[in-house]
Every structure is written in C-alpha cells, then in structure tokens.
C-alpha cells in the first residue's frame, strides 16, 4: 500500500508540473514579446511532442520496456525544461517588446 501511495503522489506531482508548464511557457512568451502569434506557435510546439508521444509511446514501450522508456523520457523532459530556463535568462534583443 505504501508503494502505491508513493506512485500516486509522484504521478500527481508530475501531472501538476506538466499542467503548469502548459500555462507557463506560452505566458512567458506573451509577457516577453507581447505577440499572440508567437504565443500560439509556442503552444503548438509545446503540444506537438505530446501528440507524437501518444502515437509512438505504446510501440516504443512494447519494444524497450516501460521502466527504461519512462526514465529516458523524464530525463529528456528535465533537460528541455532546464534549457528553457537557461534560454530565458539570455538576452534576446530581437524579442524586446
């Protein structure tokens, strides 16, 4: 029962983080640039990996195993979010509003 509670807690934290990212990235672009077009492009670019993951996830898990795929994708996600944070801190004169 303890392991199940830990799994559900981790899942809830992960889901919360994903939903906050769906909100935060387009908002960052909107605040930084004031452009609704760029905000829409970021929203599309943010959703595209989820669409691809839904289509390719099942066959990939069948071939490589759920644990390995989960660990690899969590690491890739962490790197992507860290990259956004690093890039947001760099000066972007062409994005100035």
């Amino acid at each position: 029962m303890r392991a199940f509670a830990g799994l559900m807690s981790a899942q809830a934290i992960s889901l919360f983080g994903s939903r906050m990212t769906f909100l935060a990235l387009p908002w960052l672009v909107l605040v930084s640039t004031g452009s609704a077009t760029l905000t829409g492009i970021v929203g599309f670019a943010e959703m595209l990996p989820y669409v691809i993951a839904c289509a390719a996830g099942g066959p990939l898990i069948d071939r490589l195993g759920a644990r390995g795929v989960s660990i690899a994708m969590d690491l890739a996600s962490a790197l992507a979010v860290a990259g956004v944070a690093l890039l947001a801190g760099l000066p972007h004169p062409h994005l100035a509003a």
Side-chain angles (χ1 to χ4, degrees), residues 1-91:
M1 185 65 173
R2 185 173 181 210
F4 181 73
L7 176 65
M8 289 296 103
S9 297
Q11 182 67 23
I13 292 168
S14 176
L15 185 62
F16 178 75
S18 294
R19 295 306 180 254
M20 289 306 295
T21 302
F22 281 140
L23 175 66
L25 288 178
W27 190 0
L28 173 66
V29 172
L30 184 60
V31 169
S32 300
T33 66
S35 170
T37 302
L38 289 176
T39 302
I41 291 170
V42 167
F44 172 77
E46 190 176 22
M47 287 301 298
L48 185 61
Y50 283 98
V51 172
I52 293 170
C54 287
L60 190 63
I61 289 171
D62 287 342
R63 289 191 180 97
L64 302 177
R67 186 172 191 268
V69 171
S70 177
I71 291 169
M73 294 303 112
D74 284 344
L75 289 173
S77 177
L79 289 173
V81 171
V84 169
L86 289 173
L87 290 174
L90 297 176

